[in-house]
Structure formats: structure tokens, C-alpha cells
Amino acid sequence: MQPHIPFTFTLFGATGDLSMRKILPALFVAHREGKLHQDGRIICVAKQDFSQEDYLAWVSKSAAPYVKGSFAGVDNALWLSFLARLTYLPLDLLDSAGYLSLAKTLAAGKAVSVFYLATSPALFEPICANLAASKIDLSQARVVLEKPLGHDLMSSRAINDAVARVFAEEQIYRIDHYLGKEAVQNLLALRFANSLFEPLWRRESVAHVQLTIAEQLGVEGRGDFYDSTGAMRDMVQNHLLQLLCMVAMEPPTSMDADAVRDEKLRVLRALKPFSAEDMELKAVRGQYVSGAVEGQSVAGYQQEPGVATQSQTETFVALHAEINNWRWAGVPFFLRTGKRLAQRTAEIIITFRPIPHAILPMPGGQPGTSSNRLVIRLQPDESIQLHCLAKQPGDGMTVQPVALDLAFDQAFKQRRADAYERLLLDAIRGNLSLFVRRDEQEAAWRWVEPLLRHWETSASAPKPYMAGSWGPTSSFAMMERASAQWPEDR
Ligand code: BG6
């Protein structure tokens, strides 16, 4: 990994939502923090015929408000010095002739080239083919691909094949921004920098694992896209399965990209396929109807702009997964995600087995209930809590739940990088550890696809749930069948 190098970052789709909300704000923060080499240029490519001034004015209006923290506190001179890195290049991405002007712009320096494809995946093939035909030297280049990478295994293979005709696998950076979150890095530190947890991190000690990514937001003006995608493709196939890999993988031999990715791949390949019976009992899909989130009434999914009135697209998924290997056989991994839920939260809860025999009166009088949980919270704040029982002060021997609490913002005062900032810098510096390899991505599709097919042909619709709730009641019933509970039910 090279720490600080000259680069040319070509952003395809530079006028799109993702560029304005995530990519340009993250690059600005990296610039502000002195993490970008002074010879780092950002070429912004899109179809619209903007002048350089008009584009920069638009970036100031559309991207600056997404800079984390208050933009009002951002030094105007600093912002202008960031804008000085940007060059706008209008280009019809399907027109190969237009790429000659990009080739000319890139030829000017000897910097590392990063091509970020923040466009529809339908454009990945023509962009790569046109780059190859334009005589741009791609031998040292990197290409960053945004999700969704396909709709199923076949379409993801077609995209990967098209990109592979131009770039070698070690030049391809498939982004999953959940892997760039600070708390996910901390999960690795917790597991692999401490000796305490490893002996407990297995079926003999763990009763079950829960992974939740809950959102309060709805589809945010992306109804068209979301209605042909759904929660399984938008969140489970990528973010939730990547988190599951981080929890369940064996210790890699090093933090080398392929060592980590080999271990994640093993987990994905060991996921137990859903049988016909499991599809009914261990998988729940839901769709929100109107309700209230934080006291504000909100429309139901089918009333969102761009969504079909009879849509059968799921906005909620809960799964009871299992991993068929020695470490995890028989341990339920409960995955859950949804839009318009009661709270915005992302967390991983490892519940340990209950004590075998109670000699003290247990809270709630239930000796078989687990009292030990490790809660790794990714959002909205980052923390790790270890829940235990401790003696209540005073007479007698009454035990009560307490939490050993590590809140990162209190323990570490320094600024934590946002996921996109970390991942973009990794792509510029050539560090692939936090990017998804093709075989991982395909293994994830292979596991979710039978369930997607089943839902497509099933006579039953997604279960309705009220916006602002914790999802359909069947998700709680699924947990009950496995003698477990979601935290809200406890
Ligand atoms: C994106 C999904 O990948 O992740 C969105 O496409 C979702 O639908 C988003 O809202 C959630 O990310 P975060 O970081 O806000 O939890």
C-alpha cells in the first residue's frame, strides 16, 4: 500500500446523487484532512453539457451540504482549494470518440489512475470497452464499481465478465460501504487483537447471532430503482452478508486482502441453502404501509412515487441463516433489515449460552435465559457493550444486568473517517482488503437467489407492517420458533 501518491480520480456519473451525497463530500474531507497528495486531480465526467464554472457552482450547492458536520464551519478557502482539483468533462459515455478527450486529460500526468463508476451498471461494459479502445494506459489503473452489481447471479457474472475483459481482478475494487465503517474495523480488532474472545467465538459458547440494519428512511425518491430491487438485493446480498462474514470468518493468516477475502468466501460457501420448508419458516419478507416515524405520518410503500400500486417488492427481510462448518454448525444467525422501521440502528448481537445451573436467583427467575451478550453497535453511534450480571449492592445476593460499555467517541477523541472516505483512499492507495472479490460476490448471489426466485413465484405477498414499527409480526414468530427474541421484544 502506497500512503500518499499523486493520482487522477475519474468520476463517471459525476452529476448523480451518489457523487453529490457521498463521493465528492468524502473526497473533500480527505482533502481537508491533508490525506490527498497535492498532485491529486479529480476529473468529473457526465453527459450534461455544463461549463466548468456551472459544474463547480452545482457541486458547491449539491455536495457541500453533505459534508459531515456543519458545512458552515468549513473554511471557504479550503473549499475553493478542493474545487481547484476538479475538472468537468462532458462526455456521452456510449460514444467512444469522446473518450479521446479523456485520454488527453489523463495523459498530462504520471499519476495513478482510479476510475470510479458511479453510474448504472448497464454502463459498466461500454465504459470499460471505451476506456480500453481510447489508448489510455490502463496497466496500472484501478476501477471502482458501485453496487448493485447485477440483479442475480447471471447478470452479475455478465457485468464481471465485461469488466474483466479490460481489468484484471486485482485492479477491480467492488465497493460495499459497510466494510468501510469504523465499527466493522473494530470488530476485526476485537476478534483478532484480543485473546479473550476467540475461545468463546464458536458453537460451544454462542447461542445465536443477530445482525440488524434498520432504517427510518423510506425509498427517498428512488422508488423506481428500489421497486425493481427490494431489500434482499439492496441490503442482504451485500451489506448484511459481508457483516456476517466479518463475524463468522476464521482468523485470516494476515490482513492481506486475499487472506481476508479467502476466509470470507469460505463462510459464504458454507451458508446452508434454504430448503422448501425453510423458505416458509426461516425467511420473512415485509412491505410497509402508512404509519408514523418519529411522530411524523408517512405514506405506505405503494404510495411512494415510482412504485407500482400493486408492488410485491419487499422493504423488509428477516432470515434465520445457518453456517455449515465446525465452528458454527447449528448456531442461528438472524439477519434483519428494513426501511421505515422504528429506529435507525445497525448492530450485531452475539448472545452467549446460559449458565448450566443457577445457584443464585436469576433476574426474571428464568435460569435458562442467556445473560451474556456482546453488542457491537455500528449506528447511529459506535460502541461495544458486554452485558453481564453483577451483584446488586446491599444485603442478599440479588444479581442484575449491567453492561461493560466502550463508547468510541469517549474512548478515542480523534475524528473517525467516514466509510466512503476510508474506501476511496484505499482505492487510491491500492489496498483491496475492504473490497469484495468476484467469487465472494457470486457466492452471495448463489445463496440468496433461490429465495428470490421462490418469492417471485409465491402466491403469498410480503407481509404488511406499519411504518414506524419493527416489521411484520411474522419476524417475531420466526424468532420464537428458534427460542430467540429480537432486542425490542425482550
Ligand atoms: C445503500 C442502500 O447501499 O445503503 C440504501 O442502497 C441504504 O437503500 C443505504 O439506505 C444504507 O447505508 P447507511 O450507511 O446509511 O446505513
Side-chain angles (χ1 to χ4, degrees):
M1 187 166 111
Q2 299 151 297
H4 223 165
I5 48 172
F7 65 89
T8 310
F9 186 98
T10 306
L11 177 59
F12 289 94
T15 51
D17 215 40
L18 183 71
S19 297
M20 295 300 166
R21 281 172 188 247
K22 298 281 188 190
I23 302 171
L24 291 170
L27 286 169
F28 167 71
V29 174
H31 168 83
R32 183 185 71 195
E33 299 298 317
K35 292 184 183 168
L36 299 184
H37 193 279
Q38 59 179 14
D39 294 327
R41 293 187 304 148
I42 303 167
I43 317 287
C44 299
V45 177
K47 198 170 178 173
Q48 287 89 333
D49 201 12
F50 281 128
S51 67
Q52 169 82 358
E53 294 79 64
D54 287 351
Y55 179 71
L56 295 186
W58 198 21
V59 172
S60 296
K61 184 164 157 260
S62 314
Y66 290 99
V67 172
K68 273 258 171 75
S70 152
F71 180 67
V74 171
D75 182 342
N76 196 37
L78 201 56
W79 179 253
L80 293 177
S81 64
F82 171 67
L83 292 186
R85 292 181 184 268
L86 272 55
T87 305
Y88 184 68
L89 189 69
L91 184 66
D92 175 353
L93 298 178
L94 296 174
D95 171 22
S96 56
Y99 284 68
L100 296 178
S101 49
L102 177 61
K104 259 192 235 146
T105 315
L106 293 180
K110 278 261 163 275
V112 160
S113 261
V114 179
F115 297 99
Y116 196 113
L117 311 196
T119 65
S120 145
L123 291 170
F124 290 0
E125 177 169 9
I127 293 174
C128 290
N130 285 333
L131 282 173
S134 66
K135 303 232 167 40
I136 295 171
D137 177 11
L138 299 177
S139 57
Q140 303 302 316
R142 292 156 197 160
V143 62
V144 186
L145 307 180
E146 257 299 336
K147 69 179 257 287
L149 276 173
H151 199 68
D152 52 17
L153 180 59
M154 206 166 89
S155 52
S156 94
R157 275 192 180 143
I159 294 171
N160 280 321
D161 284 345
V163 178
R165 282 196 279 279
V166 178
F167 294 98
E169 180 62 30
E170 55 282 7
Q171 295 179 287
I172 304 175
Y173 291 66
R174 293 179 194 82
I175 207 162
D176 183 314
H177 75 280
Y178 264 74
L179 291 182
K181 292 193 187 258
E182 185 74 20
V184 177
Q185 315 286 294
N186 244 308
L187 169 61
L188 293 181
L190 185 79
R191 286 196 61 195
F192 304 130
N194 295 290
S195 60
L196 188 63
F197 297 104
E198 172 56 20
L200 303 176
W201 213 262
R202 57 192 67 246
R203 62 190 301 282
E204 289 79 4
S205 305
V206 173
H208 54 78
V209 179
Q210 300 182 11
L211 299 109
T212 294
I213 305 179
E215 296 185 271
Q216 287 184 319
L217 293 177
V219 290
E220 297 300 289
R222 296 192 305 160
D224 265 348
F225 157 78
Y226 195 87
D227 209 31
S228 58
T229 305
M232 187 74 137
R233 292 182 172 94
D234 191 40
M235 301 295 286
V236 180
Q237 188 271 346
N238 32 65
H239 305 322
L240 272 173
L241 286 184
Q242 285 293 326
L243 289 186
L244 176 138
C245 287
M246 291 296 193
V247 175
M249 71 180 181
E250 293 298 316
T253 48
S254 69
M255 284 309 289
D256 172 68
D258 277 333
V260 174
R261 299 185 309 172
D262 286 347
E263 295 308 336
K264 286 198 285 158
L265 178 64
R266 284 196 185 104
V267 173
L268 292 166
R269 287 192 172 149
L271 281 168
K272 184 175 164 194
F274 284 97
S275 66
E277 194 191 358
D278 291 345
M279 292 196 191
E280 301 304 330
L281 298 177
K282 295 188 173 175
V284 174
R285 60 177 173 150
Q287 190 188 75
Y288 63 85
V289 296
S290 59
V293 175
E294 301 235 305
Q296 300 286 323
S297 51
V298 294
Y301 176 69
Q302 294 187 7
Q303 286 76 55
E304 299 272 11
V307 171
T309 37
Q310 298 292 313
S311 171
Q312 301 272 300
T313 299
E314 77 286 353
T315 59
F316 175 96
V317 174
L319 302 175
H320 170 165
E322 283 174 67
I323 300 172
N324 279 341
N325 64 17
W326 274 45
R327 188 186 283 266
W328 295 117
V331 176
F333 279 75
F334 300 110
L335 315 183
R336 174 175 66 153
T337 185
K339 298 247 180 231
R340 288 283 188 234
L341 295 181
Q343 274 172 28
R344 174 176 186 249
T345 171
E347 65 184 10
I348 301 169
I349 304 180
I350 318 239
T351 303
F352 293 94
R353 291 191 185 279
I355 51 169
H357 167 67
I359 57 170
L360 299 171
M362 302 297 276
Q366 293 173 322
T369 314
S370 311
S371 313
N372 297 138
R373 289 189 311 279
L374 182 67
V375 180
I376 301 154
R377 181 168 269 226
L378 285 67
Q379 276 166 195
D381 43 9
E382 291 164 350
S383 63
I384 297 181
Q385 287 186 335
L386 183 60
H387 292 255
C388 313
L389 291 181
K391 183 187 165 296
Q392 192 175 297
D395 290 344
M397 205 44 193
T398 311
V399 291
Q400 288 296 334
V402 284
L404 306 178
D405 197 343
L406 170 61
F408 291 110
D409 51 354
Q410 282 157 34
F412 302 102
K413 297 290 180 205
Q414 56 280 47
R415 186 189 76 88
R416 287 187 297 285
D418 152 85
Y420 267 92
E421 180 190 336
R422 170 176 292 115
L423 294 172
L424 295 179
L425 287 170
D426 276 357
I428 291 170
R429 295 164 179 172
N431 181 7
L432 272 164
S433 311
L434 298 177
F435 294 85
V436 180
R437 208 169 56 191
R438 175 176 181 159
D439 46 10
E440 285 180 74
Q441 196 195 37
E442 294 187 354
W445 275 121
R446 218 171 274 120
W447 187 69
V448 300
E449 205 175 71
L451 204 46
L452 286 168
R453 298 278 168 262
H454 172 71
W455 286 344
E456 270 159 30
T457 52
S458 158
S460 62
K463 303 276 186 254
Y465 63 96
M466 234 168 46
S469 71
W470 278 105
T473 48
S474 2
S475 146
F476 293 90
M478 181 191 89
M479 298 298 275
E480 246 174 65
R481 283 193 287 278
S483 307
Q485 287 174 318
W486 294 121
E488 314 76 52
D489 209 18
R490 213 173 277 135

